[in-house]
Amino acid sequence: MNGPRSIENLGVVATGDTWMNWRHARHPKTGAELLLGSLSRGGFVVIDPATVRTLFMGTPDFAVPTLEVLLQAGLHLVGVYTQPDRPKGRGQALAAPPGKEMAQRHGIPVYQPQKLRAPEVVEELRALAPDLIVSLLDHDEAE
């Protein structure tokens, strides 16, 4: 790889008053994969993606490409939260959301709570201790 390449789907991450713009790059001497985060103050933070405990939240089809990018970036995915399986089609057989299917193919734990705000789900999230949460939820999922 020649120089850093952008992870466009990660884009800008905001935490409080700090903004991070993430880029994917290789260390010039070791060749190790890195995430470079440029702070709103103009400084740089260098992070080994394998050390970033990442939690992904997303159900719709448009969330899958972002999950793919996170996997390609080498982030340590500690879990995927998605809506429960739903009846689909004429036979109303239960169908798994696309994000669940991808997570299972990669051996990532899947969580499918009815409500994210339920106390037991909040405790579950705390126990996972993510460093980064990437959320592509529609309004109904966030409640």
Side-chain angles (χ1 to χ4, degrees), residues 14-122:
T15 307
D17 63 352
T18 303
W19 291 83
M20 300 283 292
N21 186 10
W22 295 97
R23 293 184 303 144
H24 190 217
R26 288 195 184 270
H27 189 281
K29 293 183 182 176
T30 66
E33 299 241 350
L34 303 170
L35 283 180
L36 300 178
S38 58
L39 296 170
S40 59
R41 299 178 196 100
F44 282 93
V45 178
V46 178
I47 301 170
D48 176 359
T51 65
V52 180
R53 294 179 55 81
T54 306
L55 183 65
F56 180 79
M57 296 179 163
T59 297
D61 289 339
F62 68 79
V64 173
T66 300
L67 181 55
E68 287 175 356
V69 168
L70 296 173
L71 288 163
Q72 290 170 2
L75 291 164
H76 175 63
L77 284 153
V78 296
V80 169
Y81 275 75
T82 185
Q83 287 185 354
D85 297 355
R86 304 264 190 232
K88 191 173 183 180
R90 290 186 178 205
Q92 293 295 291
L94 285 180
K100 176 183 179 179
E101 293 172 347
M102 175 173 278
Q104 288 177 327
R105 282 195 303 272
H106 291 277
I108 302 164
V110 175
Y111 302 88
Q112 296 182 280
Q114 289 294 324
K115 295 281 184 186
L116 282 174
R117 294 183 183 169
E120 64 275 10
V121 176
V122 173

